[in-house]
Amino acid sequence: MDLDAVTKQSVLHAKPDGLILQYGTAGFRTKAEHLDHVMFRMGLLAVLRSKQTKSTIGVMVTASHNPEEDNGVKLVDPLGEMLAASWEEHATCLANAEEQHLPRVLVDISEKAAVDLHQDAFVVIGRDTRPSSERLSQSVIDGVTVLGGQFYDYGLLTTPQLHYMVFCRNSNGQYGKATVEGYYQKLSLAFVELTKQAFCRGDDHRTLKVDCANGIGALKLAEMKHYFCPGLSVQLFNDGTKGKLNHLCGADFVKSHQKPPQGIEMRANERCCSFDGDADRIVYYYHDADGQFHLIDGDKIATLISSFLKELLLEIGDGLSLGVVQTAYANGSSTRYLEEVMKVPVYCTKTGVKHLHHKAQEFDIGVYFEANGHGTVLFSKAAETKIKQLAKESEDEKRKAAKMLENIIDLFNQTIGDAISDMLVIEAILALKGLTVQQWDALYTDLPNRQLKVKVADRQVISTTDAERQVVKPPGLQEAINDLVKKYRLSRAFVRPSGTEDIVRVYAEADSQENTDSLAYEVSLAVFQLAGGIGERPQRGF
Ligand code: 16G
Ligand code: MG
C-alpha cells in the first residue's frame, strides 16, 4: 500500500470535522454534500475486500428511496450479497477516521482481516440517477486507483443489476453474462419460456403501468421492455423526464402513504406498480370501480409467489422444503393466511434484507419479502440441481412443473430483491393462473395499520429483542405498549429505532383504522415520554 499517495489523495476528499456516520442496513446514507470522503474511502475498502476475497467487489452509489438531495454507498460481496457484518465495522471505522489516522486504520484493517496485499484487486461500480451520483462515483474510483486496484465503471445501473454483475464475474460467467445485455437476456428468456403456457387473454390484461419513481428503473425498463414484448407490455410513468426522484411517487411513497403516486393515470381495476429509486423494491395497487385505492404490498406478493411455488412443488412431489420469511411489519392477516390457510412455515426476522436473506437460506426454497416490497426467492444449490434434473428426466406433468421452477430460478435475481425480477415473476404467475389483480388482492384482507415516527434525543436508548417485536430498554416501555395493545381487538404494536433515519418508528394494527390510529398515537406518546422525546409531542390525528 502506498500510504503516502493515499494521504495526498485523501486531502482532496477531506472528511468534514466531527462528522460521524455508520454503515447501516443500507450502507452509508446522508446528504450528498457530506459523502465525498466516504466514497473515496469506500473505494479504498473495496480494494482491500477484493484482495482479501480474491474476487471482484461491487460499489453501488445510491440512496434508494431517499430524497434526491441525499446519496449513499453500499459494497457488494463476491456472491452478489450484502457486505459481511465484520466488514461493516471496518467500513464504519474507515469512514470516521480523522485525516491523520487514515493510514493507520488501513493497516489495522488489513492486519485484522488478513488481507494479502500482493493480491490483485478488481472493483465494479454502479450508480443511480441522482445529480450527485456521477461525481461521487468518481471519488470511489479515485480511492480504488490510489490503492492500485483495477475497476470497471458500469455507470447507470439499478442496485440489483450491480449485484448481478458481481455474481456473474465471480462465477466465471456461469450465472450469466456480466453485461446489461446479459441481464436483459437472462431474465426475459426465462419470462418468455415461463409464460408460454399461459392461455390467450385480451390485450388489456397484458398491460402493466409502472411508476418508476423518476429513477434508474425507468431507464433500464425502457431498454428492456422490447425483450419481453408482446408477452407483456409495460407503460412507464414518472420516467425522470419531468419530475423529481422519489418525490410524491415510488414504492416507498405509495406504501407509506397508502395512496397512488402522482403522475400516473389509473383507470378502474387497472394493474399498476411502483419501483423505488434504485429499483430493488416493488408494490402493486389498483383503484376499484368505486374509486377506492387498494395496495398490494410485499406480504401479498410473497403470498402469491409462495402459493404458486407450493403448487409446483406438490406436482414434482420431491419433498423440497418451502419457507416464508417476514419482518414484524408484515400484516397480521398475511401471516395468518400463510400459516393457517396455506400451511407454509413462516419466520420473522429483524428489518433489513440481510437478516431475511440469511434466514431464507435455511430452506430448499426460501421466499422472503418485507412489507415495503423488498424481497426475492432463494433456491438452495441442492434444490436447483434436483429441479434441473427433474426438468430433463421425469414424466410429463412433473417435468412441466420442474421446467417452470427452472425458469423461476433464472428469473429471480438470486442475489438480492430486484423489482424487475419480481415484476416479471408476478406477471407470469398472474398470466398462468388467469388471475386479475382483484382476485389476487382478495386472497386475504389486510388489517388496518399505521406507521408513525417519533423524534427522541438518542434513538439508541431503545433496544429490542424477538425480531424487534419486544422492547428491552428503556424500562417500562414494553409494559406500557402491552397495556395499550390490550385496549383494542386484533391489535399489535411495536417500536424500533430506525436504521436509516434519526427517529424511532412506531407500528400499530387493529380491527379498524380508527382504533389503529388511536393505538399508534398512544404508543408514540409512550415512546416520547419514556424514551426521551424531543420537539413537538405526538399529536392525535395526523
Ligand atoms: C433499508 C433496508 C430495507 C429496510 C429499511 C428499513 C436493505 C438493502 N435495505 O432500506 O430492507 O426495510 O432499511 O429502514 O437492507 P428503517 O430502519 O429506517 O426502518
Ligand atoms: Mg431501494
Side-chain angles (χ1 to χ4, degrees), residues 24-27 29 64-66 74 82 159 163 276 278 280-281 327 329 351-356 370-372 374 416 451 459 468 496-503 505:
T25 41
R29 207 177 275 189
S64 182
H65 58 278
N66 282 40
K74 295 191 252 200
M82 316 285 272
T159 297
H163 284 256
D276 72 339
D278 62 340
D280 61 359
R281 286 195 200 177
T327 70
Y329 290 105
T351 301
V353 169
K354 65 182 177 201
H355 301 295
L356 291 110
E370 291 188 307
N372 63 24
H374 215 150
I416 54 153
Q451 281 196 53
R459 68 192 199 274
E468 303 175 324
R496 54 176 280 278
S498 158
T500 62
E501 284 181 67
D502 193 12
I503 45 133
R505 291 197 198 282

mmCIF file of all heavy atoms in Angstrom, residues 24-27 29 64-66 74 82 159 163 276 278 280-281 327 329 351-356 370-372 374 416 451 459 468 496-503 505, ligand 1:
data_model
loop_
_atom_site.group_PDB
_atom_site.id
_atom_site.type_symbol
_atom_site.label_atom_id
_atom_site.label_comp_id
_atom_site.label_asym_id
_atom_site.label_seq_id
_atom_site.Cartn_x
_atom_site.Cartn_y
_atom_site.Cartn_z
ATOM 1 N N GLY A 24 -24.918 1.306 7.969
ATOM 2 C CA GLY A 24 -26.148 0.697 8.495
ATOM 3 C C GLY A 24 -26.708 -0.357 7.564
ATOM 4 O O GLY A 24 -26.003 -0.856 6.683
ATOM 5 N N THR A 25 -28.002 -0.674 7.735
ATOM 6 C CA THR A 25 -28.649 -1.715 6.916
ATOM 7 C C THR A 25 -28.540 -1.402 5.425
ATOM 8 O O THR A 25 -28.569 -2.302 4.608
ATOM 9 C CB THR A 25 -30.152 -1.836 7.236
ATOM 10 O OG1 THR A 25 -30.680 -0.531 7.392
ATOM 11 C CG2 THR A 25 -30.394 -2.652 8.468
ATOM 12 N N ALA A 26 -28.445 -0.117 5.105
ATOM 13 C CA ALA A 26 -28.408 0.244 3.693
ATOM 14 C C ALA A 26 -27.087 0.915 3.341
ATOM 15 O O ALA A 26 -27.016 1.747 2.446
ATOM 16 C CB ALA A 26 -29.577 1.156 3.383
ATOM 17 N N GLY A 27 -26.012 0.562 4.034
ATOM 18 C CA GLY A 27 -24.716 1.196 3.787
ATOM 19 C C GLY A 27 -24.687 2.573 4.431
ATOM 20 O O GLY A 27 -25.378 2.808 5.423
ATOM 21 N N ARG A 29 -25.664 6.498 4.340
ATOM 22 C CA ARG A 29 -26.685 7.289 3.659
ATOM 23 C C ARG A 29 -26.886 8.611 4.375
ATOM 24 O O ARG A 29 -27.144 8.643 5.573
ATOM 25 C CB ARG A 29 -28.004 6.520 3.662
ATOM 26 C CG ARG A 29 -28.878 6.885 2.510
ATOM 27 C CD ARG A 29 -30.122 6.050 2.530
ATOM 28 N NE ARG A 29 -29.950 4.768 1.890
ATOM 29 C CZ ARG A 29 -30.982 3.944 1.649
ATOM 30 N NH1 ARG A 29 -32.196 4.291 2.003
ATOM 31 N NH2 ARG A 29 -30.784 2.790 1.044
ATOM 32 N N SER A 64 -31.353 5.003 -2.760
ATOM 33 C CA SER A 64 -32.631 4.293 -2.892
ATOM 34 C C SER A 64 -33.840 5.232 -2.890
ATOM 35 O O SER A 64 -33.960 6.085 -3.749
ATOM 36 C CB SER A 64 -32.701 3.273 -1.765
ATOM 37 O OG SER A 64 -33.861 2.509 -1.843
ATOM 38 N N HIS A 65 -34.710 5.101 -1.884
ATOM 39 C CA HIS A 65 -35.957 5.869 -1.871
ATOM 40 C C HIS A 65 -35.811 7.225 -1.181
ATOM 41 O O HIS A 65 -36.778 7.973 -1.093
ATOM 42 C CB HIS A 65 -37.047 5.058 -1.169
ATOM 43 C CG HIS A 65 -36.668 4.699 0.243
ATOM 44 N ND1 HIS A 65 -35.856 3.635 0.528
ATOM 45 C CD2 HIS A 65 -36.971 5.277 1.422
ATOM 46 C CE1 HIS A 65 -35.677 3.568 1.832
ATOM 47 N NE2 HIS A 65 -36.341 4.556 2.399
ATOM 48 N N ASN A 66 -34.629 7.545 -0.688
ATOM 49 C CA ASN A 66 -34.434 8.834 -0.009
ATOM 50 C C ASN A 66 -34.603 10.005 -0.999
ATOM 51 O O ASN A 66 -34.528 9.812 -2.203
ATOM 52 C CB ASN A 66 -33.024 8.933 0.572
ATOM 53 C CG ASN A 66 -32.871 8.150 1.854
ATOM 54 O OD1 ASN A 66 -33.391 7.051 1.964
ATOM 55 N ND2 ASN A 66 -32.143 8.715 2.794
ATOM 56 N N LYS A 74 -23.003 1.470 -0.917
ATOM 57 C CA LYS A 74 -23.010 0.108 -0.357
ATOM 58 C C LYS A 74 -21.949 -0.705 -1.074
ATOM 59 O O LYS A 74 -21.739 -0.525 -2.282
ATOM 60 C CB LYS A 74 -24.326 -0.606 -0.682
ATOM 61 C CG LYS A 74 -25.543 -0.042 -0.067
ATOM 62 C CD LYS A 74 -26.700 -1.019 -0.261
ATOM 63 C CE LYS A 74 -27.690 -0.492 -1.267
ATOM 64 N NZ LYS A 74 -29.022 -1.094 -1.184
ATOM 65 N N MET A 82 -24.927 -8.842 0.333
ATOM 66 C CA MET A 82 -24.571 -7.639 1.078
ATOM 67 C C MET A 82 -23.226 -7.875 1.768
ATOM 68 O O MET A 82 -22.870 -9.018 2.074
ATOM 69 C CB MET A 82 -25.612 -7.359 2.160
ATOM 70 C CG MET A 82 -27.039 -7.518 1.702
ATOM 71 S SD MET A 82 -27.552 -6.187 0.693
ATOM 72 C CE MET A 82 -28.128 -5.086 1.933
ATOM 73 N N THR A 159 -29.591 -1.058 -8.470
ATOM 74 C CA THR A 159 -28.808 -1.774 -7.448
ATOM 75 C C THR A 159 -28.766 -3.281 -7.734
ATOM 76 O O THR A 159 -27.689 -3.877 -7.725
ATOM 77 C CB THR A 159 -29.378 -1.481 -6.046
ATOM 78 O OG1 THR A 159 -29.241 -0.088 -5.792
ATOM 79 C CG2 THR A 159 -28.656 -2.265 -4.970
ATOM 80 N N HIS A 163 -25.471 -6.027 -8.313
ATOM 81 C CA HIS A 163 -25.303 -7.308 -7.589
ATOM 82 C C HIS A 163 -25.163 -8.457 -8.591
ATOM 83 O O HIS A 163 -24.334 -9.346 -8.422
ATOM 84 C CB HIS A 163 -26.498 -7.563 -6.662
ATOM 85 C CG HIS A 163 -26.480 -6.729 -5.416
ATOM 86 N ND1 HIS A 163 -26.135 -7.231 -4.183
ATOM 87 C CD2 HIS A 163 -26.761 -5.412 -5.220
ATOM 88 C CE1 HIS A 163 -26.210 -6.255 -3.270
ATOM 89 N NE2 HIS A 163 -26.597 -5.155 -3.879
ATOM 90 N N ASP A 276 -38.929 1.601 -6.441
ATOM 91 C CA ASP A 276 -38.300 2.685 -5.679
ATOM 92 C C ASP A 276 -37.132 3.262 -6.499
ATOM 93 O O ASP A 276 -36.920 2.855 -7.651
ATOM 94 C CB ASP A 276 -37.870 2.226 -4.277
ATOM 95 C CG ASP A 276 -36.664 1.308 -4.312
ATOM 96 O OD1 ASP A 276 -36.403 0.722 -5.375
ATOM 97 O OD2 ASP A 276 -35.980 1.174 -3.282
ATOM 98 N N ASP A 278 -33.945 2.969 -6.675
ATOM 99 C CA ASP A 278 -32.863 2.158 -7.243
ATOM 100 C C ASP A 278 -33.378 0.794 -7.715
ATOM 101 O O ASP A 278 -32.595 -0.116 -7.984
ATOM 102 C CB ASP A 278 -31.690 2.009 -6.270
ATOM 103 C CG ASP A 278 -32.060 1.294 -4.986
ATOM 104 O OD1 ASP A 278 -33.264 1.238 -4.663
ATOM 105 O OD2 ASP A 278 -31.149 0.784 -4.308
ATOM 106 N N ASP A 280 -35.018 -1.775 -6.361
ATOM 107 C CA ASP A 280 -34.977 -3.065 -5.660
ATOM 108 C C ASP A 280 -36.239 -3.320 -4.852
ATOM 109 O O ASP A 280 -36.325 -4.306 -4.124
ATOM 110 C CB ASP A 280 -33.701 -3.224 -4.808
ATOM 111 C CG ASP A 280 -33.570 -2.182 -3.726
ATOM 112 O OD1 ASP A 280 -34.445 -1.301 -3.621
ATOM 113 O OD2 ASP A 280 -32.572 -2.253 -2.979
ATOM 114 N N ARG A 281 -37.220 -2.428 -4.959
ATOM 115 C CA ARG A 281 -38.498 -2.655 -4.274
ATOM 116 C C ARG A 281 -39.633 -2.504 -5.259
ATOM 117 O O ARG A 281 -39.545 -1.690 -6.194
ATOM 118 C CB ARG A 281 -38.756 -1.572 -3.236
ATOM 119 C CG ARG A 281 -37.963 -1.663 -2.014
ATOM 120 C CD ARG A 281 -38.645 -0.739 -1.030
ATOM 121 N NE ARG A 281 -37.760 -0.360 0.041
ATOM 122 C CZ ARG A 281 -38.109 0.491 0.980
ATOM 123 N NH1 ARG A 281 -39.300 1.068 0.942
ATOM 124 N NH2 ARG A 281 -37.283 0.782 1.944
ATOM 125 N N THR A 327 -40.853 -9.740 8.286
ATOM 126 C CA THR A 327 -40.407 -8.971 9.453
ATOM 127 C C THR A 327 -41.641 -8.614 10.281
ATOM 128 O O THR A 327 -42.772 -8.930 9.894
ATOM 129 C CB THR A 327 -39.718 -7.649 9.060
ATOM 130 O OG1 THR A 327 -40.709 -6.771 8.523
ATOM 131 C CG2 THR A 327 -38.600 -7.876 8.065
ATOM 132 N N TYR A 329 -43.101 -6.003 10.437
ATOM 133 C CA TYR A 329 -44.016 -5.137 9.684
ATOM 134 C C TYR A 329 -45.027 -5.911 8.832
ATOM 135 O O TYR A 329 -45.918 -5.313 8.250
ATOM 136 C CB TYR A 329 -43.233 -4.196 8.756
ATOM 137 C CG TYR A 329 -42.473 -3.128 9.498
ATOM 138 C CD1 TYR A 329 -41.097 -3.207 9.657
ATOM 139 C CD2 TYR A 329 -43.147 -2.050 10.065
ATOM 140 C CE1 TYR A 329 -40.404 -2.229 10.352
ATOM 141 C CE2 TYR A 329 -42.459 -1.066 10.755
ATOM 142 C CZ TYR A 329 -41.084 -1.166 10.900
ATOM 143 O OH TYR A 329 -40.411 -0.193 11.582
ATOM 144 N N THR A 351 -35.613 -6.245 10.712
ATOM 145 C CA THR A 351 -35.705 -5.476 9.466
ATOM 146 C C THR A 351 -34.354 -5.423 8.748
ATOM 147 O O THR A 351 -33.317 -5.388 9.395
ATOM 148 C CB THR A 351 -36.139 -4.040 9.817
ATOM 149 O OG1 THR A 351 -37.393 -4.120 10.486
ATOM 150 C CG2 THR A 351 -36.281 -3.169 8.588
ATOM 151 N N GLY A 352 -34.388 -5.387 7.426
ATOM 152 C CA GLY A 352 -33.138 -5.312 6.638
ATOM 153 C C GLY A 352 -32.942 -6.600 5.867
ATOM 154 O O GLY A 352 -33.034 -7.693 6.431
ATOM 155 N N VAL A 353 -32.678 -6.435 4.581
ATOM 156 C CA VAL A 353 -32.612 -7.579 3.674
ATOM 157 C C VAL A 353 -31.663 -8.670 4.159
ATOM 158 O O VAL A 353 -31.945 -9.852 4.057
ATOM 159 C CB VAL A 353 -32.181 -7.103 2.271
ATOM 160 C CG1 VAL A 353 -31.839 -8.257 1.382
ATOM 161 C CG2 VAL A 353 -33.309 -6.300 1.661
ATOM 162 N N LYS A 354 -30.516 -8.253 4.731
ATOM 163 C CA LYS A 354 -29.535 -9.286 5.068
ATOM 164 C C LYS A 354 -30.089 -10.277 6.107
ATOM 165 O O LYS A 354 -29.760 -11.459 6.069
ATOM 166 C CB LYS A 354 -28.224 -8.674 5.524
ATOM 167 C CG LYS A 354 -28.316 -7.906 6.795
ATOM 168 C CD LYS A 354 -26.985 -7.289 7.153
ATOM 169 C CE LYS A 354 -27.179 -6.459 8.413
ATOM 170 N NZ LYS A 354 -26.169 -5.466 8.601
ATOM 171 N N HIS A 355 -30.923 -9.788 7.009
ATOM 172 C CA HIS A 355 -31.475 -10.689 8.031
ATOM 173 C C HIS A 355 -32.452 -11.687 7.413
ATOM 174 O O HIS A 355 -32.445 -12.871 7.727
ATOM 175 C CB HIS A 355 -32.172 -9.887 9.126
ATOM 176 C CG HIS A 355 -31.263 -8.920 9.817
ATOM 177 N ND1 HIS A 355 -30.198 -9.330 10.575
ATOM 178 C CD2 HIS A 355 -31.233 -7.571 9.825
ATOM 179 C CE1 HIS A 355 -29.554 -8.257 11.039
ATOM 180 N NE2 HIS A 355 -30.172 -7.187 10.592
ATOM 181 N N LEU A 356 -33.303 -11.176 6.530
ATOM 182 C CA LEU A 356 -34.282 -12.059 5.876
ATOM 183 C C LEU A 356 -33.559 -13.066 4.979
ATOM 184 O O LEU A 356 -33.882 -14.254 4.960
ATOM 185 C CB LEU A 356 -35.258 -11.235 5.029
ATOM 186 C CG LEU A 356 -36.222 -10.345 5.809
ATOM 187 C CD1 LEU A 356 -35.879 -8.891 5.615
ATOM 188 C CD2 LEU A 356 -37.655 -10.582 5.394
ATOM 189 N N GLU A 370 -40.112 -8.073 2.610
ATOM 190 C CA GLU A 370 -40.531 -7.091 3.595
ATOM 191 C C GLU A 370 -41.847 -6.506 3.086
ATOM 192 O O GLU A 370 -42.072 -6.449 1.871
ATOM 193 C CB GLU A 370 -39.491 -5.973 3.723
ATOM 194 C CG GLU A 370 -38.188 -6.443 4.357
ATOM 195 C CD GLU A 370 -37.239 -5.294 4.670
ATOM 196 O OE1 GLU A 370 -36.947 -4.491 3.762
ATOM 197 O OE2 GLU A 370 -36.795 -5.196 5.808
ATOM 198 N N ALA A 371 -42.677 -6.035 4.023
ATOM 199 C CA ALA A 371 -43.964 -5.467 3.612
ATOM 200 C C ALA A 371 -43.751 -4.318 2.620
ATOM 201 O O ALA A 371 -44.577 -4.087 1.731
ATOM 202 C CB ALA A 371 -44.717 -4.981 4.840
ATOM 203 N N ASN A 372 -42.615 -3.636 2.727
ATOM 204 C CA ASN A 372 -42.351 -2.490 1.849
ATOM 205 C C ASN A 372 -42.007 -2.886 0.412
ATOM 206 O O ASN A 372 -41.715 -2.031 -0.417
ATOM 207 C CB ASN A 372 -41.258 -1.599 2.441
ATOM 208 C CG ASN A 372 -39.916 -2.313 2.571
ATOM 209 O OD1 ASN A 372 -39.632 -3.283 1.864
ATOM 210 N ND2 ASN A 372 -39.081 -1.842 3.484
ATOM 211 N N HIS A 374 -39.611 -5.243 -0.643
ATOM 212 C CA HIS A 374 -38.223 -5.647 -0.840
ATOM 213 C C HIS A 374 -38.133 -7.152 -0.665
ATOM 214 O O HIS A 374 -38.350 -7.645 0.430
ATOM 215 C CB HIS A 374 -37.429 -4.995 0.291
ATOM 216 C CG HIS A 374 -36.081 -4.567 -0.109
ATOM 217 N ND1 HIS A 374 -35.451 -3.510 0.450
ATOM 218 C CD2 HIS A 374 -35.235 -5.061 -1.015
ATOM 219 C CE1 HIS A 374 -34.276 -3.354 -0.094
ATOM 220 N NE2 HIS A 374 -34.119 -4.285 -0.983
ATOM 221 N N ILE A 416 -30.103 -10.411 -4.517
ATOM 222 C CA ILE A 416 -30.963 -9.670 -3.586
ATOM 223 C C ILE A 416 -32.287 -9.424 -4.302
ATOM 224 O O ILE A 416 -32.422 -9.758 -5.467
ATOM 225 C CB ILE A 416 -30.378 -8.290 -3.172
ATOM 226 C CG1 ILE A 416 -30.057 -7.470 -4.422
ATOM 227 C CG2 ILE A 416 -29.198 -8.432 -2.275
ATOM 228 C CD1 ILE A 416 -30.098 -5.993 -4.196
ATOM 229 N N GLN A 451 -48.128 3.592 10.519
ATOM 230 C CA GLN A 451 -46.739 3.784 10.944
ATOM 231 C C GLN A 451 -46.532 5.241 11.291
ATOM 232 O O GLN A 451 -46.967 6.109 10.548
ATOM 233 C CB GLN A 451 -45.783 3.420 9.809
ATOM 234 C CG GLN A 451 -45.574 1.936 9.652
ATOM 235 C CD GLN A 451 -44.333 1.654 8.800
ATOM 236 O OE1 GLN A 451 -43.257 2.148 9.091
ATOM 237 N NE2 GLN A 451 -44.517 0.854 7.766
ATOM 238 N N ARG A 459 -31.826 7.769 19.753
ATOM 239 C CA ARG A 459 -32.689 6.618 19.472
ATOM 240 C C ARG A 459 -32.083 5.313 19.966
ATOM 241 O O ARG A 459 -32.768 4.307 20.084
ATOM 242 C CB ARG A 459 -33.048 6.547 17.984
ATOM 243 C CG ARG A 459 -31.909 6.212 17.035
ATOM 244 C CD ARG A 459 -32.406 6.477 15.617
ATOM 245 N NE ARG A 459 -31.661 5.833 14.572
ATOM 246 C CZ ARG A 459 -30.557 6.312 13.990
ATOM 247 N NH1 ARG A 459 -30.035 7.459 14.443
ATOM 248 N NH2 ARG A 459 -29.987 5.668 13.006
ATOM 249 N N GLU A 468 -37.361 -7.638 16.900
ATOM 250 C CA GLU A 468 -37.817 -6.244 17.057
ATOM 251 C C GLU A 468 -39.257 -6.127 17.548
ATOM 252 O O GLU A 468 -39.817 -5.035 17.557
ATOM 253 C CB GLU A 468 -37.639 -5.449 15.739
ATOM 254 C CG GLU A 468 -36.206 -5.452 15.244
ATOM 255 C CD GLU A 468 -36.001 -4.794 13.898
ATOM 256 O OE1 GLU A 468 -36.897 -4.929 13.048
ATOM 257 O OE2 GLU A 468 -34.965 -4.149 13.706
ATOM 258 N N ARG A 496 -39.246 0.498 17.150
ATOM 259 C CA ARG A 496 -37.821 0.177 16.945
ATOM 260 C C ARG A 496 -37.091 1.433 16.455
ATOM 261 O O ARG A 496 -37.690 2.274 15.760
ATOM 262 C CB ARG A 496 -37.650 -0.964 15.931
ATOM 263 C CG ARG A 496 -38.330 -0.717 14.605
ATOM 264 C CD ARG A 496 -38.053 -1.822 13.614
ATOM 265 N NE ARG A 496 -36.758 -1.679 12.978
ATOM 266 C CZ ARG A 496 -36.505 -0.881 11.942
ATOM 267 N NH1 ARG A 496 -37.459 -0.139 11.405
ATOM 268 N NH2 ARG A 496 -35.303 -0.813 11.437
ATOM 269 N N PRO A 497 -35.802 1.548 16.826
ATOM 270 C CA PRO A 497 -35.054 2.689 16.284
ATOM 271 C C PRO A 497 -34.806 2.453 14.804
ATOM 272 O O PRO A 497 -34.454 1.340 14.412
ATOM 273 C CB PRO A 497 -33.737 2.659 17.070
ATOM 274 C CG PRO A 497 -33.617 1.295 17.653
ATOM 275 C CD PRO A 497 -34.990 0.690 17.706
ATOM 276 N N SER A 498 -35.010 3.473 13.982
ATOM 277 C CA SER A 498 -34.767 3.331 12.539
ATOM 278 C C SER A 498 -33.276 3.098 12.289
ATOM 279 O O SER A 498 -32.429 3.619 13.015
ATOM 280 C CB SER A 498 -35.214 4.603 11.829
ATOM 281 O OG SER A 498 -34.566 4.704 10.581
ATOM 282 N N GLY A 499 -32.977 2.340 11.252
ATOM 283 C CA GLY A 499 -31.584 2.155 10.861
ATOM 284 C C GLY A 499 -31.146 3.160 9.811
ATOM 285 O O GLY A 499 -29.975 3.223 9.458
ATOM 286 N N THR A 500 -32.081 3.942 9.286
ATOM 287 C CA THR A 500 -31.733 4.846 8.187
ATOM 288 C C THR A 500 -32.038 6.321 8.481
ATOM 289 O O THR A 500 -31.604 7.194 7.750
ATOM 290 C CB THR A 500 -32.497 4.481 6.896
ATOM 291 O OG1 THR A 500 -33.899 4.627 7.158
ATOM 292 C CG2 THR A 500 -32.219 3.060 6.457
ATOM 293 N N GLU A 501 -32.824 6.581 9.533
ATOM 294 C CA GLU A 501 -33.167 7.969 9.871
ATOM 295 C C GLU A 501 -33.005 8.147 11.373
ATOM 296 O O GLU A 501 -33.101 7.177 12.121
ATOM 297 C CB GLU A 501 -34.645 8.255 9.546
ATOM 298 C CG GLU A 501 -34.967 8.438 8.101
ATOM 299 C CD GLU A 501 -36.468 8.734 7.943
ATOM 300 O OE1 GLU A 501 -36.923 9.791 8.382
ATOM 301 O OE2 GLU A 501 -37.170 7.869 7.382
ATOM 302 N N ASP A 502 -32.834 9.405 11.797
ATOM 303 C CA ASP A 502 -32.627 9.644 13.217
ATOM 304 C C ASP A 502 -33.972 9.750 13.957
ATOM 305 O O ASP A 502 -34.328 10.797 14.487
ATOM 306 C CB ASP A 502 -31.805 10.932 13.401
ATOM 307 C CG ASP A 502 -31.293 11.044 14.820
ATOM 308 O OD1 ASP A 502 -31.378 10.035 15.560
ATOM 309 O OD2 ASP A 502 -30.845 12.132 15.199
ATOM 310 N N ILE A 503 -34.708 8.667 13.983
ATOM 311 C CA ILE A 503 -36.045 8.657 14.593
ATOM 312 C C ILE A 503 -36.355 7.249 15.128
ATOM 313 O O ILE A 503 -35.633 6.308 14.826
ATOM 314 C CB ILE A 503 -37.147 8.978 13.555
ATOM 315 C CG1 ILE A 503 -36.899 8.164 12.258
ATOM 316 C CG2 ILE A 503 -37.238 10.445 13.237
ATOM 317 C CD1 ILE A 503 -38.085 7.510 11.756
ATOM 318 N N ARG A 505 -39.359 4.390 15.007
ATOM 319 C CA ARG A 505 -40.559 4.042 14.243
ATOM 320 C C ARG A 505 -41.565 3.321 15.128
ATOM 321 O O ARG A 505 -41.190 2.479 15.949
ATOM 322 C CB ARG A 505 -40.218 3.133 13.063
ATOM 323 C CG ARG A 505 -39.440 3.840 12.003
ATOM 324 C CD ARG A 505 -39.458 3.076 10.681
ATOM 325 N NE ARG A 505 -38.374 3.538 9.825
ATOM 326 C CZ ARG A 505 -38.399 4.669 9.132
ATOM 327 N NH1 ARG A 505 -39.449 5.461 9.169
ATOM 328 N NH2 ARG A 505 -37.363 5.015 8.390
HETATM 329 C C1 16G B 1 -33.012 -0.293 4.361
HETATM 330 C C2 16G B 1 -33.105 -1.764 4.070
HETATM 331 C C3 16G B 1 -34.553 -2.184 3.945
HETATM 332 C C4 16G B 1 -35.298 -1.809 5.203
HETATM 333 C C5 16G B 1 -35.111 -0.351 5.529
HETATM 334 C C6 16G B 1 -35.641 -0.053 6.906
HETATM 335 C C7 16G B 1 -31.614 -3.107 2.724
HETATM 336 C C8 16G B 1 -30.964 -3.294 1.393
HETATM 337 N N1 16G B 1 -32.413 -2.065 2.837
HETATM 338 O O1 16G B 1 -33.524 0.459 3.305
HETATM 339 O O2 16G B 1 -34.591 -3.551 3.744
HETATM 340 O O3 16G B 1 -36.663 -2.072 5.075
HETATM 341 O O4 16G B 1 -33.723 -0.035 5.538
HETATM 342 O O5 16G B 1 -35.403 1.271 7.221
HETATM 343 O O6 16G B 1 -31.410 -3.882 3.639
HETATM 344 P P1 16G B 1 -35.558 1.787 8.703
HETATM 345 O O7 16G B 1 -34.545 1.060 9.560
HETATM 346 O O8 16G B 1 -35.343 3.244 8.618
HETATM 347 O O9 16G B 1 -36.957 1.455 9.141
#
